[in-house]
């Protein structure tokens, strides 16, 4: 198959990029499950942007820099924030209905924001945006869609990325493309506890690594402070906007512990709150308390969260909500410029898998959908169609896994998740990463390499293992704490 633009992934950046690219040529969008299955679909909070008269670009920048421990790339950050208002406007034009009152956008707050600047739709902002973008993409004759289509690896010629090898309906095929875009989203499944759906298996990151793409800031994994502390996979998110509407964190002794710890109290940046909850959990459960709000307000403002908590017999207006941190977002990724170009010609990357450097060492809440939108709007600036010479490539053979093989791969996957949670989680001991964590992951990589042939489940585990190794190697290089990379101990000579 040939196409002008091959897009891998159907979250906000993949869908939005598809709509832009369709103005320039023929688009093929592939996604490994259904179109709606993406991290975006789970995004509760909203999109941060300079929308209020009292706000300005400098203020949004300063909040992002503070949250990111000033590790952000200022040029990229300014570019994103400068384009934030027009990105929201474009979504509204497409039919996205953000909350409004008397014709004015309603704005909310999350951690690290010094003012209300987040446009939202209830507690299901991502889902609404996905719905509208999917409708647009489906009705665009220039866009061809393949669901249940898994990208196995990228095709690389001497000079550029020329498409991808895919698994579709148990068959291996190649798609040659003038331009290939990774919009593959997050990596949350690298960890035992995550808010990310099962599909977030670091596929784009791994494919990028395999063909030599440069990566950036891979040690900065953001842990969301308030996932519901119940035994579900993935963990259910209790949006930070719940704290934005007045919820407070309380420990098992009944102490509202964030009050004295940070000037922004319960709305301090995420890395600070996640670390504090992690410490508090050593002494007993931690809860969110929003009992001062009425049932009417809570059911209107947080319909999905309210309903989900009811499944656990928790009434937000009456009960405390048990919370725990969980892996949520990769702040780094495949390094790109302002146009989404990676170091490999004709390979682009947008959204969570990209490393635009806007987030620094810890992303400011609700800057992620913004990043995905703004950068994927940039298509006109850099794209050129071209004729590619189709080299003959040998395709691997597809295999079906036997029950024993499936069991073994499942076991190795959960081992990766446990190792990463233990050694490369919220608090990191670099000695332990070097002597225990990394060698264990390398051993799993060897085990996975023993399986021959191509299979989606197998490849997802390989992708997780490669990404885990990359995170640990990046963590080892950064000897001191910064943002989400919290070093409790660097290297000691008497490690046992
Ligand atoms: C949330 O609603 O708390 C998540 C929003 C985000 O990750 O920016």
């Amino acid at each position: 198959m040939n196409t002008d633009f091959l897009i891998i992934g159907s979250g906000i950046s993949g869908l939005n990029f598809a709509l832009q690219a369709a103005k320039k040529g023929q688009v093929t969008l592939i996604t490994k499950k259904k179109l709606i299955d993406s991290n975006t679909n789970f995004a509760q909070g909203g999109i941060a942007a300079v929308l209020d008269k009292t706000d300005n670009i400098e203020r949004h920048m300063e909040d992002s820099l503070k949250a990111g421990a000033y590790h952000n790339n200022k040029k990229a950050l300014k570019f994103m924030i400068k384009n934030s208002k027009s990105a929201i406007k474009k979504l509204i034009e497409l039919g996205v209905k953000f909350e409004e009152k008397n014709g004015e956008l309603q704005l909310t707050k999350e951690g690290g924001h010094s003012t209300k600047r987040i446009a939202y739709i209830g507690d299901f902002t991502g889902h609404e945006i996905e719905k509208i973008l999917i409708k647009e993409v489906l009705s665009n004759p220039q866009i061809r869609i393949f669901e249940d289509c898994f990208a196995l690896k990228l095709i690389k010629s001497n000079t550029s990325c020329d498409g991808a090898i895919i698994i579709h309906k148990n068959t291996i095929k190649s798609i040659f493309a003038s331009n290939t875009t990774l919009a593959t989203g997050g990596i949350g499944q690298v960890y035992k506890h995550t808010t990310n759906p099962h599909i977030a298996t670091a596929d784009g990151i791994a494919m990028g690594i395999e063909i030599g793409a440069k990566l950036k800031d891979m040690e900065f994994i953001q842990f969301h402070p308030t996932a519901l502390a119940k035994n579900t996979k993935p963990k259910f998110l209790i949006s930070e906007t719940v704290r934005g509407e007045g919820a407070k964190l309380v420990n098992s002794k009944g102490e509202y512990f964030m009050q004295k710890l940070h000037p922004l109290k319960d709305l301090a940046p995420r890395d600070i709150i996640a670390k504090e909850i992690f410490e508090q959990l050593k002494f007993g459960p931690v809860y969110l308390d929003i009992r001062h709000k009425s049932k009417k307000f809570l059911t209107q403002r947080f319909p999905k969260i309210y309903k989900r908590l009811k499944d656990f017999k928790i009434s937000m207006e009456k009960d405390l909500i048990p919370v725990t941190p969980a892996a949520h977002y990769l702040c780094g990724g495949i390094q790109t410029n302002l146009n989404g170009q990676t170091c490999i010609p004709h390979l682009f990357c947008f959204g969570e898998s990209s490393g635009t450097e806007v987030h620094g060492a810890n992303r400011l809440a609700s800057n992620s959908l913004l990043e995905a939108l703004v950068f994927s709007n940039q298509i006109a600036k850099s794209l050129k169609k071209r004729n590619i010479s189709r080299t003959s490539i040998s395709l691997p053979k597809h295999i079906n896994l036997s029950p024993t093989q499936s069991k073994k791969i499942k076991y190795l996957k959960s081992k990766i998740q446990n190792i990463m949670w233990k050694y490369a989680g919220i608090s990191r001991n670099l000695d332990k990463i070097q002597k225990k964590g990394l060698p264990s992951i390398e051993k799993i990589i060897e085990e996975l390499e023993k399986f021959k042939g191509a299979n989606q489940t197998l490849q997802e585990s390989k992708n997780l293992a490669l990404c885990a190794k990359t995170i640990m190697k990046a963590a080892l290089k950064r000897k001191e704490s910064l943002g989400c990379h919290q070093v409790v101990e660097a290297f000691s000579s008497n490690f046992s």
Side-chain angles (χ1 to χ4, degrees):
M1 194 190 293
N2 273 324
T3 189
D4 296 325
F5 303 105
L6 170 64
I7 301 171
I8 306 169
S10 61
I12 187 170
S13 53
L15 296 172
N16 190 54
F17 184 75
L19 293 176
Q20 309 311 317
K23 296 173 194 158
K24 300 245 158 181
Q26 201 263 324
V27 174
T28 302
L29 187 147
I30 67 170
T31 187
K32 71 177 180 177
K33 255 178 119 184
K34 301 298 172 207
L35 276 178
I36 194 79
D37 294 305
S38 66
N39 254 356
T40 302
N41 195 39
F42 283 71
Q44 297 176 355
I47 307 185
V50 180
L51 297 163
D52 192 78
K53 288 182 225 56
T54 60
D55 198 10
N56 58 50
I57 293 172
E58 288 68 37
R59 197 165 170 193
H60 190 168
M61 271 191 77
E62 187 53 29
D63 290 348
S64 306
L65 288 166
K66 249 189 215 156
Y70 293 88
H71 185 69
N72 327 48
N73 175 328
K74 276 195 188 162
K75 188 172 157 220
L77 181 63
K78 186 161 192 181
F79 167 78
M80 177 179 83
I81 295 174
K82 257 176 100 171
N83 286 293
S84 62
K85 194 171 178 178
S86 61
I88 298 272
K89 199 165 153 246
K90 263 192 185 167
L91 280 185
I92 294 173
E93 280 162 12
L94 282 180
V96 175
K97 290 190 169 43
F98 290 102
E99 303 285 347
E100 280 184 8
K101 201 171 176 185
N102 307 325
E104 296 273 321
L105 279 181
Q106 289 279 284
L107 302 175
T108 189
K109 218 175 179 186
E110 287 185 70
H113 290 273
S114 61
T115 186
K116 288 190 174 188
R117 65 162 70 90
I118 298 165
Y120 65 98
I121 305 150
D123 55 359
F124 46 92
T125 309
H127 178 72
E128 281 302 295
I129 295 171
E130 259 309 273
K131 246 178 42 192
I132 300 282
L133 291 178
I134 286 176
K135 197 168 129 232
E136 289 295 314
V137 162
L138 286 175
S139 62
N140 191 316
Q142 281 287 83
I143 304 175
R144 194 165 42 172
I145 293 161
F146 293 96
E147 296 187 315
D148 301 309
C149 184
F150 180 72
L152 195 61
K153 57 179 179 165
L154 298 170
I155 300 169
K156 190 172 175 221
S157 68
N158 287 339
T159 50
S160 60
C161 177
D162 292 349
I165 295 174
I166 57 152
I167 306 179
H168 190 221
K169 299 188 176 155
N170 288 342
T171 316
I172 310 273
K173 293 176 186 158
S174 52
I175 302 181
F176 284 89
S178 294
N179 296 288
T180 303
T181 294
L182 296 171
T184 44
I187 58 119
Q189 289 292 323
V190 166
Y191 288 90
K192 182 177 174 190
H193 302 298
T194 178
T195 60
N196 290 188
H198 295 288
I199 50 163
T201 51
D203 304 327
I205 297 285
M207 283 190 282
I209 295 172
E210 294 289 5
I211 66 160
K214 275 196 195 130
L215 282 96
K216 192 77 194 158
D217 294 337
M218 288 294 290
E219 65 275 40
F220 300 117
I221 309 298
Q222 183 171 72
F223 291 82
H224 197 291
T226 59
L228 180 64
K230 293 284 176 189
N231 205 7
T232 61
K233 275 185 186 271
K235 288 253 177 268
F236 181 72
L237 183 70
I238 309 294
S239 174
E240 210 157 276
T241 53
V242 176
R243 274 177 281 133
E245 300 292 350
K248 289 190 175 61
L249 288 156
V250 57
N251 64 18
S252 52
K253 286 193 221 147
E255 293 161 345
Y256 292 88
F257 54 88
M258 282 313 299
Q259 303 303 302
K260 285 190 213 134
L261 272 171
H262 194 276
L264 290 174
K265 301 177 179 170
D266 293 280
L267 286 175
R270 250 173 223 179
D271 54 341
I272 292 167
I273 301 211
K275 201 172 111 207
E276 187 53 33
I277 296 179
F278 188 67
E279 289 307 313
Q280 292 281 343
L281 284 170
K282 293 178 183 160
F283 307 101
V286 170
Y287 303 95
L288 268 177
D289 183 358
I290 189 152
R291 293 173 299 177
H292 61 286
K293 293 282 187 188
S294 68
K295 181 174 176 184
K296 183 165 174 245
F297 171 82
L298 293 165
T299 48
Q300 276 173 4
R301 178 67 184 84
F302 303 113
K304 297 245 161 151
I305 297 175
Y306 193 93
K307 191 160 173 281
R308 185 78 177 110
L309 287 175
K310 274 285 181 196
D311 296 340
F312 296 95
K313 305 203 174 359
I314 297 169
S315 300
M316 290 175 89
E317 75 282 11
K318 284 196 288 215
D319 300 313
L320 293 172
I321 307 161
V323 290
T324 183
H328 185 62
Y329 189 85
L330 168 65
C331 299
I334 296 175
Q335 191 169 25
T336 62
N337 66 12
L338 296 187
N339 298 325
Q341 261 179 325
T342 69
C343 67
I344 297 177
H346 304 285
L347 177 65
F348 294 79
C349 185
F350 297 106
E352 188 169 343
S353 41
S354 70
T356 60
E357 300 177 60
V358 292
H359 304 308
N362 170 54
R363 174 177 63 91
L364 182 70
S366 284
N367 267 355
S368 49
L369 294 181
L370 177 64
E371 178 202 31
L373 266 183
V374 167
F375 285 86
S376 61
N377 275 337
Q378 287 310 300
I379 183 166
K381 308 273 164 58
S382 54
L383 284 181
K384 286 180 198 77
K385 280 207 255 173
R386 65 185 173 125
N387 290 326
I388 43 172
S389 51
R390 291 178 58 146
T391 43
S392 77
I393 45 171
S394 64
L395 298 178
K397 196 169 164 309
H398 182 262
I399 52 159
N400 289 315
L401 298 175
S402 69
T404 322
Q405 286 175 318
S406 292
K407 205 169 148 198
K408 174 88 198 235
I409 290 167
K410 203 170 157 199
Y411 165 73
L412 292 172
K413 179 177 167 184
S414 74
K415 240 180 129 173
I416 298 168
Q417 294 169 329
N418 285 317
I419 292 166
M420 288 302 283
W421 186 256
K422 184 166 176 190
Y423 295 105
I426 295 170
S427 290
R428 296 167 176 182
N429 177 322
L430 301 188
D431 250 345
K432 289 191 179 172
I433 294 183
Q434 186 164 59
K435 293 180 180 145
K436 295 227 165 123
L438 187 56
S440 309
I441 292 291
E442 282 170 338
K443 230 169 165 177
I444 293 172
I445 292 176
E446 276 170 30
E447 291 282 302
L448 287 167
E449 283 312 319
K450 288 183 191 152
F451 292 86
K452 297 296 167 217
N455 173 281
Q456 178 171 341
T457 308
L458 169 63
Q459 190 60 43
E460 285 175 336
S461 290
K462 285 186 177 178
N463 293 344
L464 288 175
L466 183 55
C467 182
K469 178 176 163 181
T470 311
I471 292 169
M472 284 195 171
K473 286 206 151 180
L476 284 174
K477 282 199 190 133
R478 191 172 292 284
K479 311 276 186 287
E480 278 161 15
S481 295
L482 192 73
C484 323
H485 173 66
Q486 287 298 316
V487 180
V488 281
E489 207 172 313
F491 295 101
S492 65
S493 51
N494 59 354
F495 171 79
S496 61

